[in-house]
Amino acid sequence: MSQSQRQQRLRLLVRKLNKERKRQASQIDILCNDLIGAQRGFIQRLDDIAFAARFYKSLLGITDLRALLTQADQVIREGLPGADVTFFLRRSDGSGLGAFHADQAATIDGMPLEDYFPSELVDAICKSNRPCSVTDLLALGLQGHVKELRQVSLATVPLNDLGRPLGFLLISRDMPSVLTGDELQRVALVTCGLSHAIVAARVPLHAGQ
């Protein structure tokens, strides 16, 4: 075998080795990304479990509805920094839904956020009995100037008792800090227990209280 043939075979071997190294490096990158993703998912689940445990522990022994909602509001806002929560609940006499907020009401340009939610829209959201994004809310009848609505990130999470609509949580946060799917899912994890606690502590609740 000539010197040139040896060099050619050596170059082919080097190219083959380099190609194999790149393939292995790509596989290692994919594996590492999968491991990182799995670790993040695991940490997220642990955070959700910790949030749920903290939430339920904080409600133990509370039998007064107003105190119950105030405590639930506090824990939810701790889990969703910067967010505001308004509870819309069916009144005990069945006359409609009343709004309750434990803290100062969220506003858009000084106008209370709940003023953007007339009774027809509130009833439609409750009857839908499902999570609603701002797109869903617009489809259900949310009205307001686009410029105003762009100032907040909005979503609703339903409350129901054995499938029967009980009301919903209106969660908002000033932009540009958008409410994330993970945050809303975290709230959804505790709405079943919260709904049962509300039913157990049920007293008349009037709008504006």
Side-chain angles (χ1 to χ4, degrees):
M1 180 183 297
S2 66
Q3 182 67 22
S4 61
Q5 288 176 322
R6 291 192 186 93
Q7 291 176 346
Q8 183 177 5
R9 290 187 63 180
L10 181 59
R11 284 194 295 269
L12 289 173
L13 180 60
V14 170
R15 280 199 293 268
K16 184 177 180 180
L17 289 173
N18 287 336
K19 185 177 180 180
E20 181 64 20
R21 287 196 192 98
K22 290 179 181 179
R23 186 185 69 82
Q24 290 179 353
S26 177
Q27 290 180 331
I28 291 172
D29 286 342
I30 293 173
L31 178 60
C32 288
N33 289 333
D34 288 344
L35 289 172
I36 292 172
Q39 184 181 37
R40 286 175 177 167
F42 179 69
I43 292 173
Q44 179 67 50
R45 285 192 292 274
L46 287 179
D47 288 343
D48 290 342
I49 292 171
F51 171 78
R54 185 167 65 252
F55 182 86
Y56 289 130
K57 182 179 179 180
S58 73
L59 300 187
L60 288 176
I62 300 178
T63 58
D64 176 74
L65 182 58
R66 182 173 295 279
L68 178 74
L69 297 182
T70 299
Q71 184 61 40
D73 171 90
Q74 179 180 331
V75 180
I76 290 173
R77 286 190 292 109
E78 287 174 356
L80 281 68
D84 291 295
V85 182
T86 301
F87 299 84
F88 285 90
L89 300 178
R90 287 197 180 281
R91 295 189 180 94
S92 297
D93 60 6
S95 62
L97 286 89
F100 173 87
H101 37 78
D103 202 4
Q104 183 176 351
T107 61
I108 300 179
D109 287 343
M111 179 177 174
L113 181 58
E114 63 194 67
D115 287 359
Y116 286 82
F117 289 76
S119 58
E120 297 82 3
L121 174 57
V122 169
D123 191 52
I125 296 170
C126 185
K127 288 179 178 177
S128 73
N129 203 23
R130 60 182 175 84
C132 291
S133 65
V134 68
T135 301
D136 298 322
L137 295 175
L138 289 169
L140 288 173
L142 176 63
Q143 296 182 357
H145 297 297
V146 174
K147 182 179 179 181
E148 294 174 341
L149 294 177
R150 282 179 177 172
Q151 296 179 34
V152 293
S153 178
L154 296 173
T156 64
V157 180
L159 294 168
N160 62 76
D161 179 35
L162 300 176
R164 180 177 61 88
L166 184 66
F168 60 90
L169 306 182
L170 170 62
I171 303 175
S172 64
R173 181 189 280 149
D174 291 341
M175 295 292 278
S177 184
V178 178
L179 293 168
T180 68
D182 287 340
E183 288 178 321
L184 296 176
Q185 178 60 33
R186 178 172 294 180
V187 175
L189 287 174
V190 299
T191 54
C192 180
L194 175 59
S195 297
H196 292 326
I198 289 172
V199 171
R202 197 66 173 157
V203 294
L205 182 68
H206 302 287
Q209 285 188 319

